[in-house]
Amino acid sequence: MASANDPASGFPLQSLPYCSFLSSQDGNAHLGVGIGSFLLDLSKLGQVGLLHSLNAETQSACAAPQLNSLMRCGPAAWSTLRQLLIKLLKEDASSKHQSKIEPLLIPTKDLQFFKPIVVGNYTDFYASIHHATNVGRLFRPDQPLLPNYKWLPIGYHGRASSLVIGGGIRRPHGQIRLTGQESPAFGPTKQLDYELEVAAYIGTGNSLGEPIPIAKAAQHIFGLSLLNDWSARDIQSWEYQPLGPFLGKSFATSISPWVVPTEALSAFRVPSSIRPSGDPEPLSYLSNAASEDAGGIDLTLEVFLSTARMRETSLAPVRLSEGNLCNLYWTFPQMIAHHTSNGCNLIEGDVIASGTVSGPHPGSEGCLLEITRRGASPIQLPNGETRAFLEDADEIILNGFCEREGFPRVSLGECRGTVLPAHGAS
Ligand code: MN
């Protein structure tokens, strides 16, 4: 298929990301696989008999509306299905299957997507040392990084119920205490921010009481998506001590509709260690040669902003930053090993989020809190508008893609969300 080789689509044969979409034929959610600018309906693929080489469990998982059943089948089944899909789609131009596959391909444009996975739990980490340092400096210029940072991946338990795909994000109300005032007031946040993050979906979990060893942690990841951890900074800064983030985060978190399988990213693995010499070696339960040699992913991440006025005048979204996932201090396998080290059980579909991904250079900061230094240095947009934090009707678009000489570009798709006015706002 020509569009599979179009570098702009980012969904080549080597990628084949999964999604859940509204089928116009029966009005139900179906699993789909992205190929070029099209989508292959997985449940229909089974109906025309092209999945018969798979075991019964995997075949029935392909007919489910979301990915959880397939996740439970385990890494060997994920790989077998993927190899079959590559074979079927590779052959489509000339093979005997062409007549069966072609009617199952749907243009991706304008499809309605659902959450690809039923997510039971969402944990947000803080794995970018550049983000931690930049934010820490705003609050503690003398000691930006707290003493535990280089010893353990910091995280907190978020809300899975408010994970959403696309659409509007209602500006939340909360308690806000303005500088110099003794008492807080309750009202809409004036410091609404985004956070550029990557989500790793747990494919197979662990039993309660049985930690996942670092050497096996990577096998538990089904795939990656983009994630925007919307944050109300004024609510957050008043409420977060001593127990951490709460209502300043839990009002909404956006995920992208596509899940890129980990196998599709293998060509883009890079050494993870950005630890300068002199930093402490990770304790043994967080240390593994394979994880360190190839625990990072060379994944470019971008944030775009489109304001209402830009859309009215047909201006393209403006890029706010560009970073890379390889700059994380802690890898996903380390986050998983740490998360389960006390025996806590992860289950299929759980979201492990990286935390805001920021890089070492100006222009690679993954949220407005860092870019505008908590609003002190608003950004100038090309049309003359300025932003310290997000305004109503602002749309944030996250992008992620892997590029490497000799390999087709692999995209994570887009993660979009638009700010809606607070309830009661005129
Ligand atoms: Mn976050």
Side-chain angles (χ1 to χ4, degrees):
M1 183 187 309
S3 77
N5 299 316
D6 174 4
S9 93
F11 289 175
L13 193 59
Q14 291 81 353
S15 178
L16 302 185
Y18 294 104
C19 70
S20 173
F21 70 102
L22 178 70
S23 166
S24 61
Q25 290 187 6
D26 60 12
N28 293 323
H30 289 199
L31 287 177
V33 176
I35 173 79
S37 51
F38 289 83
L39 179 150
L40 177 63
D41 187 325
L42 260 189
S43 69
K44 293 280 162 61
L45 200 59
Q47 286 171 18
V48 299
L50 289 177
L51 297 178
H52 66 273
S53 64
L54 304 174
N55 64 33
E57 190 189 7
T58 313
Q59 286 188 50
S60 104
C62 288
Q66 285 163 307
L67 287 165
N68 299 64
S69 307
L70 180 62
M71 291 170 139
R72 279 195 293 273
C73 294
W78 311 337
S79 191
T80 305
L81 170 60
R82 188 175 148 76
Q83 294 315 314
L84 174 64
L85 292 171
I86 290 174
K87 189 168 144 238
L88 291 173
L89 287 163
K90 193 191 269 177
E91 288 173 350
D92 83 335
S94 58
S95 84
K96 57 187 186 242
H97 302 311
Q98 185 191 8
S99 60
K100 287 185 177 175
I101 288 182
E102 241 175 35
L104 310 182
L105 292 168
I106 307 161
T108 305
K109 199 172 163 289
D110 301 328
L111 274 181
Q112 185 188 334
F113 293 103
F114 299 108
K115 277 189 268 188
I117 293 164
V118 180
V119 180
N121 299 281
Y122 158 40
T123 303
D124 195 22
F125 279 91
Y126 197 54
S128 163
I129 195 168
H130 305 294
H131 172 66
T133 305
N134 289 342
V135 171
R137 196 173 282 133
L138 291 171
F139 296 89
R140 296 175 305 273
D142 301 339
Q143 191 194 19
L145 272 191
L146 291 171
N148 57 5
Y149 191 86
K150 293 181 175 178
W151 291 96
L152 54 82
I154 306 285
Y156 72 95
H157 297 294
R159 286 292 303 177
S161 61
S162 51
L163 287 168
V164 295
I165 281 205
I169 303 298
R170 181 74 58 193
R171 179 180 296 275
H173 280 66
Q175 274 201 25
I176 296 160
R177 193 183 71 163
L178 299 176
T179 314
Q181 291 191 355
E182 191 142 321
S183 308
F186 186 78
T189 175
K190 294 185 175 64
Q191 297 187 344
L192 185 58
D193 199 357
Y194 60 84
E195 288 190 339
L196 166 66
E197 304 201 16
V198 172
Y201 285 105
I202 295 296
T204 51
N206 57 307
S207 304
L208 185 61
E210 302 296 330
I212 296 175
I214 179 79
K216 294 195 169 156
Q219 303 165 21
H220 288 260
I221 303 174
F222 179 84
L224 301 187
S225 283
L226 296 170
L227 182 144
N228 181 349
D229 184 27
W230 303 95
S231 300
R233 301 301 184 189
D234 39 10
I235 299 172
Q236 184 184 354
S237 64
W238 170 235
E239 74 175 2
Y240 85 104
Q241 289 176 314
L243 288 186
F246 189 38
L247 304 182
K249 298 281 191 175
S250 62
F251 57 94
T253 305
S254 295
I255 46 175
S256 51
W258 301 99
V259 183
V260 177
T262 42
E263 265 189 22
L265 300 166
S266 55
F268 307 99
R269 297 202 164 273
V270 290
S272 69
S273 185
I274 60 163
R275 284 171 187 258
S277 58
D279 276 15
E281 286 298 314
L283 296 178
S284 62
Y285 80 101
L286 294 173
S287 177
N288 170 257
S291 169
E292 278 150 39
D293 289 348
I297 300 171
D298 183 5
L299 169 63
T300 301
L301 295 162
E302 297 174 314
V303 181
F304 290 84
L305 166 68
S306 165
T307 69
R309 205 180 333 149
M310 288 167 67
R311 291 191 295 277
E312 280 159 20
T313 51
S314 302
L315 287 176
V318 61
R319 192 169 73 178
L320 299 183
S321 72
E322 179 185 6
N324 195 301
L325 192 69
C326 71
N327 287 316
L328 291 186
Y329 194 81
W330 297 101
T331 65
F332 281 119
Q334 285 174 318
M335 293 180 232
I336 290 168
H338 183 65
H339 202 317
T340 62
S341 62
N342 66 346
C344 173
N345 51 331
L346 300 178
I347 60 171
E348 97 276 343
D350 282 359
V351 165
I352 304 295
S354 59
T356 307
V357 182
S358 294
H361 308 296
S364 59
E365 303 94 339
C367 61
L368 285 175
L369 177 69
E370 290 172 67
I371 296 175
T372 69
R373 295 190 176 75
R374 211 182 178 186
S377 311
I379 45 174
Q380 294 276 340
L381 302 178
N383 67 350
E385 291 182 278
T386 60
R387 285 293 182 275
F389 290 97
L390 296 175
E391 304 283 335
D392 291 349
D394 283 356
E395 182 179 30
I396 289 293
I397 305 149
L398 310 184
N399 248 333
F401 56 88
C402 295
E403 285 180 324
R404 182 178 160 193
E405 188 76 39
F407 291 84
R409 171 186 166 113
V410 168
S411 167
L412 264 65
E414 287 182 340
C415 178
R416 286 174 177 263
T418 302
V419 180
L420 301 177
H423 279 309
S426 53

PDB file of all heavy atoms in Angstrom, residues 334-362:
ATOM      1  N   GLN A 334      13.008   0.248  34.865  1.00  0.00           N
ATOM      2  CA  GLN A 334      13.341   0.630  36.249  1.00  0.00           C
ATOM      3  C   GLN A 334      12.098   1.091  37.005  1.00  0.00           C
ATOM      4  O   GLN A 334      11.921   0.787  38.185  1.00  0.00           O
ATOM      5  CB  GLN A 334      14.402   1.740  36.251  1.00  0.00           C
ATOM      6  CG  GLN A 334      15.795   1.225  35.901  1.00  0.00           C
ATOM      7  CD  GLN A 334      16.814   2.348  35.751  1.00  0.00           C
ATOM      8  OE1 GLN A 334      16.514   3.391  35.166  1.00  0.00           O
ATOM      9  NE2 GLN A 334      18.012   2.134  36.268  1.00  0.00           N
ATOM     10  N   MET A 335      11.208   1.839  36.321  1.00  0.00           N
ATOM     11  CA  MET A 335       9.971   2.282  36.984  1.00  0.00           C
ATOM     12  C   MET A 335       9.130   1.071  37.392  1.00  0.00           C
ATOM     13  O   MET A 335       8.545   1.038  38.479  1.00  0.00           O
ATOM     14  CB  MET A 335       9.169   3.196  36.050  1.00  0.00           C
ATOM     15  CG  MET A 335       9.849   4.534  35.745  1.00  0.00           C
ATOM     16  SD  MET A 335       8.816   5.553  34.636  1.00  0.00           S
ATOM     17  CE  MET A 335       9.974   5.982  33.348  1.00  0.00           C
ATOM     18  N   ILE A 336       9.050   0.076  36.498  1.00  0.00           N
ATOM     19  CA  ILE A 336       8.227  -1.112  36.785  1.00  0.00           C
ATOM     20  C   ILE A 336       8.844  -1.937  37.917  1.00  0.00           C
ATOM     21  O   ILE A 336       8.140  -2.392  38.830  1.00  0.00           O
ATOM     22  CB  ILE A 336       8.063  -1.952  35.495  1.00  0.00           C
ATOM     23  CG1 ILE A 336       7.159  -1.199  34.515  1.00  0.00           C
ATOM     24  CG2 ILE A 336       7.516  -3.343  35.797  1.00  0.00           C
ATOM     25  CD1 ILE A 336       7.152  -1.779  33.110  1.00  0.00           C
ATOM     26  N   ALA A 337      10.173  -2.114  37.870  1.00  0.00           N
ATOM     27  CA  ALA A 337      10.835  -2.884  38.935  1.00  0.00           C
ATOM     28  C   ALA A 337      10.648  -2.182  40.284  1.00  0.00           C
ATOM     29  O   ALA A 337      10.394  -2.825  41.306  1.00  0.00           O
ATOM     30  CB  ALA A 337      12.321  -3.045  38.617  1.00  0.00           C
ATOM     31  N   HIS A 338      10.752  -0.855  40.271  1.00  0.00           N
ATOM     32  CA  HIS A 338      10.585  -0.118  41.529  1.00  0.00           C
ATOM     33  C   HIS A 338       9.135  -0.191  42.014  1.00  0.00           C
ATOM     34  O   HIS A 338       8.867  -0.431  43.193  1.00  0.00           O
ATOM     35  CB  HIS A 338      11.006   1.337  41.345  1.00  0.00           C
ATOM     36  CG  HIS A 338      10.921   2.139  42.598  1.00  0.00           C
ATOM     37  ND1 HIS A 338      11.718   1.880  43.701  1.00  0.00           N
ATOM     38  CD2 HIS A 338      10.118   3.175  42.955  1.00  0.00           C
ATOM     39  CE1 HIS A 338      11.396   2.730  44.677  1.00  0.00           C
ATOM     40  NE2 HIS A 338      10.439   3.522  44.250  1.00  0.00           N
ATOM     41  N   HIS A 339       8.193  -0.010  41.083  1.00  0.00           N
ATOM     42  CA  HIS A 339       6.765   0.008  41.422  1.00  0.00           C
ATOM     43  C   HIS A 339       6.350  -1.294  42.098  1.00  0.00           C
ATOM     44  O   HIS A 339       5.528  -1.306  43.026  1.00  0.00           O
ATOM     45  CB  HIS A 339       5.969   0.197  40.127  1.00  0.00           C
ATOM     46  CG  HIS A 339       4.584   0.749  40.292  1.00  0.00           C
ATOM     47  ND1 HIS A 339       3.722   0.335  41.283  1.00  0.00           N
ATOM     48  CD2 HIS A 339       3.901   1.674  39.574  1.00  0.00           C
ATOM     49  CE1 HIS A 339       2.574   0.994  41.161  1.00  0.00           C
ATOM     50  NE2 HIS A 339       2.664   1.813  40.135  1.00  0.00           N
ATOM     51  N   THR A 340       6.915  -2.422  41.619  1.00  0.00           N
ATOM     52  CA  THR A 340       6.505  -3.740  42.134  1.00  0.00           C
ATOM     53  C   THR A 340       7.452  -4.254  43.212  1.00  0.00           C
ATOM     54  O   THR A 340       7.260  -5.363  43.710  1.00  0.00           O
ATOM     55  CB  THR A 340       6.438  -4.771  40.985  1.00  0.00           C
ATOM     56  OG1 THR A 340       7.758  -4.909  40.409  1.00  0.00           O
ATOM     57  CG2 THR A 340       5.463  -4.350  39.898  1.00  0.00           C
ATOM     58  N   SER A 341       8.490  -3.487  43.549  1.00  0.00           N
ATOM     59  CA  SER A 341       9.515  -3.991  44.470  1.00  0.00           C
ATOM     60  C   SER A 341       8.959  -4.256  45.869  1.00  0.00           C
ATOM     61  O   SER A 341       9.525  -5.032  46.631  1.00  0.00           O
ATOM     62  CB  SER A 341      10.686  -3.000  44.554  1.00  0.00           C
ATOM     63  OG  SER A 341      10.236  -1.751  45.066  1.00  0.00           O
ATOM     64  N   ASN A 342       7.850  -3.628  46.203  1.00  0.00           N
ATOM     65  CA  ASN A 342       7.225  -3.878  47.517  1.00  0.00           C
ATOM     66  C   ASN A 342       6.144  -4.947  47.413  1.00  0.00           C
ATOM     67  O   ASN A 342       5.424  -5.205  48.366  1.00  0.00           O
ATOM     68  CB  ASN A 342       6.605  -2.580  48.059  1.00  0.00           C
ATOM     69  CG  ASN A 342       5.445  -2.093  47.216  1.00  0.00           C
ATOM     70  OD1 ASN A 342       5.253  -2.556  46.084  1.00  0.00           O
ATOM     71  ND2 ASN A 342       4.666  -1.168  47.737  1.00  0.00           N
ATOM     72  N   GLY A 343       6.011  -5.561  46.237  1.00  0.00           N
ATOM     73  CA  GLY A 343       4.993  -6.587  46.043  1.00  0.00           C
ATOM     74  C   GLY A 343       3.705  -6.066  45.440  1.00  0.00           C
ATOM     75  O   GLY A 343       2.780  -6.834  45.168  1.00  0.00           O
ATOM     76  N   CYS A 344       3.614  -4.767  45.181  1.00  0.00           N
ATOM     77  CA  CYS A 344       2.405  -4.197  44.564  1.00  0.00           C
ATOM     78  C   CYS A 344       2.165  -4.853  43.208  1.00  0.00           C
ATOM     79  O   CYS A 344       3.083  -5.027  42.413  1.00  0.00           O
ATOM     80  CB  CYS A 344       2.579  -2.686  44.397  1.00  0.00           C
ATOM     81  SG  CYS A 344       1.242  -1.897  43.471  1.00  0.00           S
ATOM     82  N   ASN A 345       0.914  -5.236  42.964  1.00  0.00           N
ATOM     83  CA  ASN A 345       0.603  -5.905  41.696  1.00  0.00           C
ATOM     84  C   ASN A 345       0.158  -4.917  40.628  1.00  0.00           C
ATOM     85  O   ASN A 345      -0.711  -4.087  40.871  1.00  0.00           O
ATOM     86  CB  ASN A 345      -0.468  -6.983  41.895  1.00  0.00           C
ATOM     87  CG  ASN A 345      -1.697  -6.470  42.630  1.00  0.00           C
ATOM     88  OD1 ASN A 345      -1.611  -5.551  43.442  1.00  0.00           O
ATOM     89  ND2 ASN A 345      -2.839  -7.044  42.332  1.00  0.00           N
ATOM     90  N   LEU A 346       0.778  -5.032  39.458  1.00  0.00           N
ATOM     91  CA  LEU A 346       0.320  -4.311  38.269  1.00  0.00           C
ATOM     92  C   LEU A 346      -0.612  -5.245  37.507  1.00  0.00           C
ATOM     93  O   LEU A 346      -0.443  -6.465  37.552  1.00  0.00           O
ATOM     94  CB  LEU A 346       1.511  -3.921  37.392  1.00  0.00           C
ATOM     95  CG  LEU A 346       2.568  -3.018  38.048  1.00  0.00           C
ATOM     96  CD1 LEU A 346       3.713  -2.739  37.081  1.00  0.00           C
ATOM     97  CD2 LEU A 346       1.948  -1.715  38.509  1.00  0.00           C
ATOM     98  N   ILE A 347      -1.584  -4.661  36.807  1.00  0.00           N
ATOM     99  CA  ILE A 347      -2.481  -5.506  36.019  1.00  0.00           C
ATOM    100  C   ILE A 347      -2.507  -5.012  34.574  1.00  0.00           C
ATOM    101  O   ILE A 347      -2.122  -3.874  34.287  1.00  0.00           O
ATOM    102  CB  ILE A 347      -3.920  -5.549  36.586  1.00  0.00           C
ATOM    103  CG1 ILE A 347      -4.522  -4.147  36.623  1.00  0.00           C
ATOM    104  CG2 ILE A 347      -3.948  -6.176  37.958  1.00  0.00           C
ATOM    105  CD1 ILE A 347      -6.006  -4.161  36.962  1.00  0.00           C
ATOM    106  N   GLU A 348      -2.947  -5.884  33.676  1.00  0.00           N
ATOM    107  CA  GLU A 348      -2.934  -5.524  32.262  1.00  0.00           C
ATOM    108  C   GLU A 348      -3.773  -4.264  32.048  1.00  0.00           C
ATOM    109  O   GLU A 348      -4.839  -4.118  32.624  1.00  0.00           O
ATOM    110  CB  GLU A 348      -3.389  -6.688  31.382  1.00  0.00           C
ATOM    111  CG  GLU A 348      -4.846  -6.674  30.959  1.00  0.00           C
ATOM    112  CD  GLU A 348      -5.742  -7.278  32.027  1.00  0.00           C
ATOM    113  OE1 GLU A 348      -5.237  -7.981  32.910  1.00  0.00           O
ATOM    114  OE2 GLU A 348      -6.970  -7.045  31.966  1.00  0.00           O
ATOM    115  N   GLY A 349      -3.235  -3.367  31.236  1.00  0.00           N
ATOM    116  CA  GLY A 349      -3.916  -2.113  30.963  1.00  0.00           C
ATOM    117  C   GLY A 349      -3.455  -0.969  31.844  1.00  0.00           C
ATOM    118  O   GLY A 349      -3.784   0.188  31.568  1.00  0.00           O
ATOM    119  N   ASP A 350      -2.730  -1.255  32.907  1.00  0.00           N
ATOM    120  CA  ASP A 350      -2.250  -0.159  33.765  1.00  0.00           C
ATOM    121  C   ASP A 350      -1.365   0.792  32.965  1.00  0.00           C
ATOM    122  O   ASP A 350      -0.579   0.364  32.112  1.00  0.00           O
ATOM    123  CB  ASP A 350      -1.435  -0.702  34.945  1.00  0.00           C
ATOM    124  CG  ASP A 350      -2.311  -1.261  36.062  1.00  0.00           C
ATOM    125  OD1 ASP A 350      -3.551  -1.210  35.930  1.00  0.00           O
ATOM    126  OD2 ASP A 350      -1.743  -1.755  37.049  1.00  0.00           O
ATOM    127  N   VAL A 351      -1.506   2.072  33.264  1.00  0.00           N
ATOM    128  CA  VAL A 351      -0.678   3.095  32.616  1.00  0.00           C
ATOM    129  C   VAL A 351       0.471   3.479  33.552  1.00  0.00           C
ATOM    130  O   VAL A 351       0.246   3.859  34.702  1.00  0.00           O
ATOM    131  CB  VAL A 351      -1.508   4.358  32.288  1.00  0.00           C
ATOM    132  CG1 VAL A 351      -0.599   5.539  31.959  1.00  0.00           C
ATOM    133  CG2 VAL A 351      -2.438   4.088  31.110  1.00  0.00           C
ATOM    134  N   ILE A 352       1.686   3.357  33.014  1.00  0.00           N
ATOM    135  CA  ILE A 352       2.873   3.841  33.716  1.00  0.00           C
ATOM    136  C   ILE A 352       3.337   5.050  32.909  1.00  0.00           C
ATOM    137  O   ILE A 352       3.823   4.902  31.783  1.00  0.00           O
ATOM    138  CB  ILE A 352       3.984   2.771  33.722  1.00  0.00           C
ATOM    139  CG1 ILE A 352       3.489   1.453  34.323  1.00  0.00           C
ATOM    140  CG2 ILE A 352       5.227   3.292  34.439  1.00  0.00           C
ATOM    141  CD1 ILE A 352       3.125   1.527  35.773  1.00  0.00           C
ATOM    142  N   ALA A 353       3.170   6.253  33.464  1.00  0.00           N
ATOM    143  CA  ALA A 353       3.534   7.459  32.715  1.00  0.00           C
ATOM    144  C   ALA A 353       4.916   7.945  33.145  1.00  0.00           C
ATOM    145  O   ALA A 353       5.297   7.821  34.317  1.00  0.00           O
ATOM    146  CB  ALA A 353       2.497   8.551  32.924  1.00  0.00           C
ATOM    147  N   SER A 354       5.634   8.490  32.166  1.00  0.00           N
ATOM    148  CA  SER A 354       7.038   8.864  32.371  1.00  0.00           C
ATOM    149  C   SER A 354       7.214  10.054  33.301  1.00  0.00           C
ATOM    150  O   SER A 354       8.265  10.227  33.902  1.00  0.00           O
ATOM    151  CB  SER A 354       7.662   9.225  31.021  1.00  0.00           C
ATOM    152  OG  SER A 354       6.953  10.310  30.422  1.00  0.00           O
ATOM    153  N   GLY A 355       6.189  10.884  33.406  1.00  0.00           N
ATOM    154  CA  GLY A 355       6.392  12.232  33.954  1.00  0.00           C
ATOM    155  C   GLY A 355       6.800  13.147  32.814  1.00  0.00           C
ATOM    156  O   GLY A 355       7.162  12.684  31.716  1.00  0.00           O
ATOM    157  N   THR A 356       6.694  14.442  33.047  1.00  0.00           N
ATOM    158  CA  THR A 356       7.003  15.430  32.018  1.00  0.00           C
ATOM    159  C   THR A 356       8.390  15.172  31.427  1.00  0.00           C
ATOM    160  O   THR A 356       9.365  15.071  32.168  1.00  0.00           O
ATOM    161  CB  THR A 356       6.978  16.846  32.619  1.00  0.00           C
ATOM    162  OG1 THR A 356       5.733  17.025  33.273  1.00  0.00           O
ATOM    163  CG2 THR A 356       7.150  17.902  31.535  1.00  0.00           C
ATOM    164  N   VAL A 357       8.449  15.062  30.094  1.00  0.00           N
ATOM    165  CA  VAL A 357       9.735  14.820  29.437  1.00  0.00           C
ATOM    166  C   VAL A 357      10.323  16.160  29.013  1.00  0.00           C
ATOM    167  O   VAL A 357       9.806  16.820  28.111  1.00  0.00           O
ATOM    168  CB  VAL A 357       9.567  13.911  28.201  1.00  0.00           C
ATOM    169  CG1 VAL A 357      10.927  13.630  27.574  1.00  0.00           C
ATOM    170  CG2 VAL A 357       8.874  12.607  28.578  1.00  0.00           C
ATOM    171  N   SER A 358      11.380  16.558  29.694  1.00  0.00           N
ATOM    172  CA  SER A 358      12.096  17.777  29.320  1.00  0.00           C
ATOM    173  C   SER A 358      13.540  17.415  29.006  1.00  0.00           C
ATOM    174  O   SER A 358      14.059  16.426  29.520  1.00  0.00           O
ATOM    175  CB  SER A 358      12.077  18.796  30.468  1.00  0.00           C
ATOM    176  OG  SER A 358      10.761  19.251  30.700  1.00  0.00           O
ATOM    177  N   GLY A 359      14.174  18.217  28.149  1.00  0.00           N
ATOM    178  CA  GLY A 359      15.561  17.967  27.786  1.00  0.00           C
ATOM    179  C   GLY A 359      16.488  18.959  28.454  1.00  0.00           C
ATOM    180  O   GLY A 359      16.057  19.832  29.212  1.00  0.00           O
ATOM    181  N   PRO A 360      17.768  18.839  28.143  1.00  0.00           N
ATOM    182  CA  PRO A 360      18.760  19.690  28.801  1.00  0.00           C
ATOM    183  C   PRO A 360      18.837  21.105  28.232  1.00  0.00           C
ATOM    184  O   PRO A 360      19.456  21.968  28.846  1.00  0.00           O
ATOM    185  CB  PRO A 360      20.074  18.941  28.562  1.00  0.00           C
ATOM    186  CG  PRO A 360      19.832  18.109  27.338  1.00  0.00           C
ATOM    187  CD  PRO A 360      18.368  17.794  27.300  1.00  0.00           C
ATOM    188  N   HIS A 361      18.231  21.348  27.053  1.00  0.00           N
ATOM    189  CA  HIS A 361      18.429  22.630  26.384  1.00  0.00           C
ATOM    190  C   HIS A 361      17.156  23.480  26.399  1.00  0.00           C
ATOM    191  O   HIS A 361      16.052  22.938  26.429  1.00  0.00           O
ATOM    192  CB  HIS A 361      18.848  22.403  24.925  1.00  0.00           C
ATOM    193  CG  HIS A 361      20.005  21.483  24.800  1.00  0.00           C
ATOM    194  ND1 HIS A 361      21.246  21.780  25.309  1.00  0.00           N
ATOM    195  CD2 HIS A 361      20.099  20.247  24.239  1.00  0.00           C
ATOM    196  CE1 HIS A 361      22.069  20.782  25.049  1.00  0.00           C
ATOM    197  NE2 HIS A 361      21.403  19.831  24.421  1.00  0.00           N
ATOM    198  N   PRO A 362      17.306  24.814  26.299  1.00  0.00           N
ATOM    199  CA  PRO A 362      16.121  25.650  26.116  1.00  0.00           C
ATOM    200  C   PRO A 362      15.383  25.204  24.852  1.00  0.00           C
ATOM    201  O   PRO A 362      16.018  24.848  23.858  1.00  0.00           O
ATOM    202  CB  PRO A 362      16.698  27.062  25.934  1.00  0.00           C
ATOM    203  CG  PRO A 362      18.071  27.015  26.522  1.00  0.00           C
ATOM    204  CD  PRO A 362      18.553  25.603  26.359  1.00  0.00           C
TER     205      PRO A 362
END
